């Protein structure tokens, strides 16, 4: 005989005296994570463990406080770590397509940027003043006078040589020309030369060619003189420029004296200025030269691009990148329009989250990361190589073949924390060998924790902290008890509490709304219940429609009387934010044959694999129990009546078996009881999911059609600990109007449904006469005989 569950057994209440306070306002806020000891131990190990590959993958369901816990733990740990260096990019004067990366102690990056900004803005006036000074003019004039004297001497010697040969040297559009002269020393025109006798013209040409050869030799010192002029002027200009910029540059050099990288960079800056001093001297060269060219800015190359500024940090950085696209994670080189042309340079290198997190911790939601196909490979490459590269996104995709920037990679040393669900972790672990080497630590956040006194007390303190933080009304002891009870319902276990604190917080926020509207000082149990009722009402439209169809008789369901081969099964339907139980009529038909148990749902391609497995188990049960003396010969069909959306799961397998046993035995079964539970081949009823929703779904249908006082549900005995029924059902059970029966075996269930003993097996393989098993076995033996008659 199955003993009915009492109202205390179907919901574990939380007495108000559990809390040693009148309201959560009297408690101290919780400053620690609750119920995640396993995850926290793994997380603490992974974050503190050095060595390559000990990055952390955090799994668990959203709402368990994963993100908040991780960020708080990281910030606490980061505060004990040293502040990482700043990162700047500067011009590479040897190859401007590959900017140089400089690392400086925290705060020094900003100082270098400001110092170079001031330097760049000062050198133009300084150089202009130096080159416009009288001292420079005198030195230049002295140099030019010396050169001019040497040039005049060379020109005089050439003129003397030409006059001796009857020529004079005259300038022309293509250089110097030798022109013959007459006896009076006047140059002859081309017309006069043409009127001369041919023999004389020929002689003049021969003399000119001979003289040109001598003049060419005489002009060679002039070419050397030009080079000498250029060299001396350039040396003088470098000397003057170096002297002009020295006061500005030496101050920066002394500021960064211990840093060899900065000293080398400053030396390159000095050399570049001295080599391009004319850019500062000639104002016209500041403007665009030929059409389509980008105007030259002589000081642009001396600015510093401060990519990462850690001057305000008080420890290592902690960066959460919620949108981990490739550019946002690894940085990018932007472009700007100049005179209709898109150009870029080192000043347009922008950092990514990996740059800002370098030397600290980087947190990435893994499912969002896979929306960008390049990120995962880029992240693995960065971790494996220990180098962070900033590459143009389009170039990495192979879309750009024009020249672009390739900034110098920087050393990457950050702990990576990935946030994902268990399914993603399993896929990566099994499909990507690199993942196992790079993410060796798994921190798994649980969705439940034990319902112990210390955890209940922590729950109340969490609520206190939430109310203080968000300015909500505090909860009185009755509301705290209601939250604890509902948390056990969320966990589907009387001995557990849910750790999905985000959902608990939403309940309190909504209850606060109703409390404020009422004008009460504290949130009470009635406000929590109102919130739950209102939230259900907002989402249960489909449930209401199905109940209306049942009440109208459109969907057939009997909740009273007895019938052969027919039972009420329970399933759970979900509309996304709301799950509810739906009772369904399950029928069985039996005939002579050898097909065995046939699943009509599968024949119609509406049954899932788990449901098909359940049907196969029924065949195993029938063979094990009744086919000991004769072969199992039957053709049975099972179906969910008026089911049009497909069936999966094995939670109705016990219901299907009861219907089949009823049909075989000819014994009618109770229609006022709805049934749930899976079954194994030995006839043991096994636990199922959604037991609360299933029971409450049938209760709602009974309410609509009329409570008779005998109605109830048969649930697996192993599911009793999962019962956390809502108050209305508990009250009906307390009043004796609704009943819950825990079933451990099929024999217990069939006795409850038929009122007939199941019967025990005898040594000869038969059962007690008149029992359910006896009637079923005789029917099967009779069917086997008929099959043999037709197919001897």
């Amino acid at each position: 005989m199955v003993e009915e569950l009492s109202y205390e057994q179907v919901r574990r209440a939380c007495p108000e005296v559990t809390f040693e306070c009148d309201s959560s306002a009297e408690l101290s806020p919780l400053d620690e994570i609750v119920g995640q000891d396993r995850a926290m131990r793994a997380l603490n190990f992974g974050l503190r463990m050095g060595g390559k590959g000990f990055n952390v993958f955090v799994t668990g369901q959203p709402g368990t406080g994963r993100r908040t816990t991780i960020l708080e733990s990281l910030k606490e740990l980061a505060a004990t770590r040293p502040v990482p260096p700043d990162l700047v990019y500067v011009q590479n004067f040897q190859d401007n397509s590959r900017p140089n990366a400089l690392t400086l102690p925290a705060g020094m990056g900003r100082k270098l940027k400001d110092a170079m900004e001031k330097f760049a803005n000062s050198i133009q006036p300084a150089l202009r003043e130096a080159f416009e000074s009288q001292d420079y003019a005198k030195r230049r004039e002295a140099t030019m006078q010396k050169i001019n004297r040497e040039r005049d001497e060379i020109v005089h010697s050439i003129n003397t040589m030409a006059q001796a040969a009857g020529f004079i040297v005259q300038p022309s559009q293509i250089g110097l020309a030798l022109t013959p002269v007459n006896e009076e020393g006047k140059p002859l025109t081309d017309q006069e030369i043409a009127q001369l006798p041919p023999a004389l013209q020929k002689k003049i040409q021969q003399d000119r060619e001979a003289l040109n050869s001598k003049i060419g030799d005489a002009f060679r010192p002039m070419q050397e003189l030009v080079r000498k002029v250029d060299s001396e002027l350039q040396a003088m200009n470098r000397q003057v420029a170096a002297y002009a910029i020295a006061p500005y540059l030496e101050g920066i050099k002394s500021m960064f004296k211990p840093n060899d990288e900065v000293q080398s960079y400053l030396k390159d800056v000095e050399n570049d200025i001295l080599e391009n001093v004319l850019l500062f001297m000639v104002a016209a060269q500041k403007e665009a030269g030929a059409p389509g060219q980008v105007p030259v800015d002589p000081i642009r190359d001396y600015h510093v691009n401060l990519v990462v500024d850690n001057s305000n940090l008080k420890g290592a950085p902690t960066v959460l990148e919620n949108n981990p696209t490739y550019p946002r994670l690894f940085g990018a080189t932007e472009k700007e329009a100049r005179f209709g042309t898109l150009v870029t340079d080192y000043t347009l290198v922008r950092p990514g989250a990996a740059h800002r997190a370098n030397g600290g911790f980087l947190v990435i939601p893994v499912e969002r990361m896979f929306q960008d196909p390049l990120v995962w490979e880029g992240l693995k490459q960065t971790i494996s190589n220990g180098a962070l590269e900033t590459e143009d996104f389009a170039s990495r995709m192979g879309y750009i073949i024009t020249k672009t920037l390739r900034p110098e990679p920087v050393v990457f040393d950050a702990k990576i924390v990935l946030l994902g669900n268990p399914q993603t972790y399993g896929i990566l672990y099994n499909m990507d060998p690199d993942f196992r080497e790079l993410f060796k630590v798994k921190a798994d956040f649980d969705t439940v924790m034990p319902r112990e006194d210390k955890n209940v007390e922590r729950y109340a303190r969490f609520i206190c902290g939430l109310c203080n933080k968000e300015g909500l009304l505090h909860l009185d002891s009755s509301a705290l008890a209601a939250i604890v009870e509902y948390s056990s319902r969320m966990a589907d276990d009387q001995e557990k509490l849910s750790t999905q604190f985000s959902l608990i917080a939403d309940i309190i926020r909504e209850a606060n709304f109703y409390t404020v509207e009422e004008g009460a000082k504290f949130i009470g149990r009635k406000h929590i219940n109102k919130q739950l009722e209102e939230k259900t009402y907002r989402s249960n439209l489909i449930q209401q429609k199905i109940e209306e169809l049942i009440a109208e008789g459109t969907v057939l369901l009997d909740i009273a009387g007895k019938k052969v081969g027919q039972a009420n099964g329970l399933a759970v339907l979900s509309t996304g934010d709301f799950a509810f139980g739906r009772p369904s009529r399950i029928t069985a038909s039996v005939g002579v044959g050898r097909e065995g148990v046939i699943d009509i749902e599968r024949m119609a391609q509406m049954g899932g694999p788990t449901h098909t497995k359940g049907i196969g188990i029924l065949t195993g049960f029938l063979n094990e129990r009744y086919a000991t003396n004769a072969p199992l010969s039957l053709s049975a069909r099972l179906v969910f009546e008026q089911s049009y959306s497909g069936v999966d799961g094995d939670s109705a397998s016990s219901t299907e078996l009861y219907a089949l046993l009823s049909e075989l035995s000819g014994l009618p079964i109770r229609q006022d009881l709805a049934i749930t539970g899976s079954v194994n081949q030995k006839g043991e009823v096994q636990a199922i999911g959604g037991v609360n929703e299933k029971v409450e779904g049938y209760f709602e249908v009974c309410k609509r059609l009329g409570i008779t006082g005998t109605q109830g549900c048969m649930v697996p005995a192993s599911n009793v600990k999962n019962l956390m029924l809502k108050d209305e059902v508990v009250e009906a059970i307390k009043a004796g109007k609704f009943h819950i029966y825990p079933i451990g075996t099929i024999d217990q269930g069939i006795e409850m449904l038929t009122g007939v003993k199941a019967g025990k097996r005898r040594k000869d393989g038969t059962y007690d006469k008149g029992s359910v098993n006896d009637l079923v076995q005789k029917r099967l033996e009779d069917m086997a005989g008929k099959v043999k008659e037709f197919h001897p």
Side-chain angles (χ1 to χ4, degrees), residues 353-367:
H355 292 89
R356 297 191 300 273
N358 203 4
F361 306 94
L362 177 60
V363 183
I364 306 173
V366 68
E367 284 81 13

Side-chain angles (χ1 to χ4, degrees), residues 12-253:
R12 183 183 174 186
C14 179
E16 296 181 21
V17 294
T18 301
F19 307 97
E20 298 178 358
C21 62
D22 292 329
S23 74
S24 58
E26 301 174 17
L27 303 174
S28 58
L30 186 69
D31 56 0
E32 59 181 312
I33 187 65
V34 183
Q36 302 293 353
D37 293 340
R38 183 191 306 274
M40 291 307 298
R41 286 178 63 178
L43 184 62
N44 288 331
F45 166 75
L47 296 180
R48 288 172 169 80
M49 179 66 185
K52 184 178 179 181
F54 284 92
N55 297 293
V56 183
F57 192 105
V58 178
T59 67
Q61 296 302 321
T64 56
R66 293 180 308 163
R67 179 172 303 186
T68 302
T69 301
I70 290 168
L71 292 178
E72 290 179 354
S73 299
L74 289 178
K75 290 177 181 177
E76 180 180 346
L77 178 59
T80 65
R81 300 288 179 89
V83 179
D86 294 341
L87 172 65
V88 301
Y89 273 105
V90 297
Q91 177 68 295
N92 182 343
F93 295 100
Q94 285 71 46
D95 183 359
N96 60 12
S97 69
R98 299 185 67 85
N100 289 330
L102 305 180
T103 55
L104 302 96
M108 297 303 289
R110 171 64 62 184
K111 291 183 178 180
L112 178 62
K113 177 180 175 63
D114 293 343
M116 289 304 295
E117 195 81 24
K118 184 177 180 181
F119 169 76
N121 293 329
S122 300
I123 57 175
Q124 278 187 297
L127 290 172
R128 187 178 298 112
E129 181 180 354
F131 286 108
E132 291 177 356
S133 66
Q134 291 184 356
D135 182 59
Y136 174 77
K138 290 179 181 179
R139 292 180 61 184
R140 180 180 174 86
E141 180 65 24
T143 301
M144 294 304 298
Q145 286 179 358
K146 177 184 176 182
I147 299 301
N148 287 337
R149 285 194 298 268
E150 294 181 12
R151 185 192 63 182
D152 290 344
E153 291 175 0
I154 295 173
V155 171
H156 179 71
S157 65
I158 293 173
N159 280 330
T160 302
M161 186 187 303
Q163 289 174 3
F167 290 88
I168 62 171
V169 180
Q170 288 184 325
S172 69
Q173 293 180 350
I174 61 173
L176 297 178
L178 291 175
T179 304
V181 296
N182 56 22
E183 294 178 354
E184 299 175 355
K186 294 182 179 180
L188 296 176
T189 65
D190 291 342
Q191 185 177 5
E192 291 174 338
I193 294 173
Q195 294 176 356
L196 294 175
L200 186 54
Q201 292 182 27
K202 182 177 181 180
K203 183 177 184 305
I204 290 173
Q205 183 62 30
Q206 290 174 348
D207 292 344
R208 178 184 281 141
E209 290 177 357
L211 186 58
N212 275 332
S213 177
K214 293 180 181 180
I215 290 177
D217 293 338
F219 258 110
R220 286 194 182 92
M222 180 72 79
Q223 296 172 355
E224 293 295 329
L225 184 60
V226 172
R227 285 193 287 269
K228 182 179 179 181
V229 171
D230 290 341
S231 177
E232 290 188 9
L233 288 178
Q234 187 176 4
M236 184 179 66
N237 290 341
R238 288 177 63 93
Q239 185 181 12
V240 172
Y243 182 79
I245 67 174
Y248 303 96
L249 204 56
E250 289 302 322
I252 304 176
K253 287 182 178 179

Side-chain angles (χ1 to χ4, degrees), residues 152-378:
D152 290 344
E153 291 175 0
I154 295 173
V155 171
H156 179 71
S157 65
I158 293 173
N159 280 330
T160 302
M161 186 187 303
Q163 289 174 3
F167 290 88
I168 62 171
V169 180
Q170 288 184 325
S172 69
Q173 293 180 350
I174 61 173
L176 297 178
L178 291 175
T179 304
V181 296
N182 56 22
E183 294 178 354
E184 299 175 355
K186 294 182 179 180
L188 296 176
T189 65
D190 291 342
Q191 185 177 5
E192 291 174 338
I193 294 173
Q195 294 176 356
L196 294 175
L200 186 54
Q201 292 182 27
K202 182 177 181 180
K203 183 177 184 305
I204 290 173
Q205 183 62 30
Q206 290 174 348
D207 292 344
R208 178 184 281 141
E209 290 177 357
L211 186 58
N212 275 332
S213 177
K214 293 180 181 180
I215 290 177
D217 293 338
F219 258 110
R220 286 194 182 92
M222 180 72 79
Q223 296 172 355
E224 293 295 329
L225 184 60
V226 172
R227 285 193 287 269
K228 182 179 179 181
V229 171
D230 290 341
S231 177
E232 290 188 9
L233 288 178
Q234 187 176 4
M236 184 179 66
N237 290 341
R238 288 177 63 93
Q239 185 181 12
V240 172
Y243 182 79
I245 67 174
Y248 303 96
L249 204 56
E250 289 302 322
I252 304 176
K253 287 182 178 179
S254 61
M255 186 186 305
F256 296 92
K257 194 170 184 179
N259 194 312
D260 293 338
E261 286 185 325
V262 176
Q263 296 297 323
S264 177
Y265 163 66
L266 294 176
K267 186 64 177 176
D268 289 341
V269 169
E270 182 179 14
N271 290 335
D272 188 71
I273 293 174
L274 299 181
E275 290 175 4
N276 298 281
V277 69
L278 289 178
L279 290 177
F280 301 93
M281 295 172 59
V282 184
Q285 292 183 343
K286 296 179 183 178
E287 301 176 355
Q293 289 184 349
V294 178
V296 177
D297 181 359
I299 67 170
R300 185 178 182 88
D301 290 345
Y302 311 132
H303 293 294
V304 170
N305 182 7
L306 180 57
V307 175
V308 177
D309 182 6
N310 290 326
S311 57
N312 294 324
L313 284 182
K314 303 298 182 183
T318 298
V319 178
L320 168 65
E321 181 51 68
N322 282 314
N323 184 23
T325 61
Y326 191 88
R328 289 178 65 91
L329 201 57
F330 301 108
T333 54
E334 296 179 350
K335 296 177 177 60
E336 64 181 17
R338 301 180 196 166
F339 287 81
T341 303
L342 289 178
V343 296
T344 186
D345 58 33
Y346 75 98
T347 63
L348 297 175
V349 175
R350 299 293 179 256
H355 292 89
R356 297 191 300 273
N358 203 4
F361 306 94
L362 177 60
V363 183
I364 306 173
V366 68
E367 284 81 13
R368 296 182 185 179
M369 179 179 67
F370 285 117
Q371 295 175 2
D372 188 330
L374 297 179
V375 171
W376 177 237
E377 291 300 324

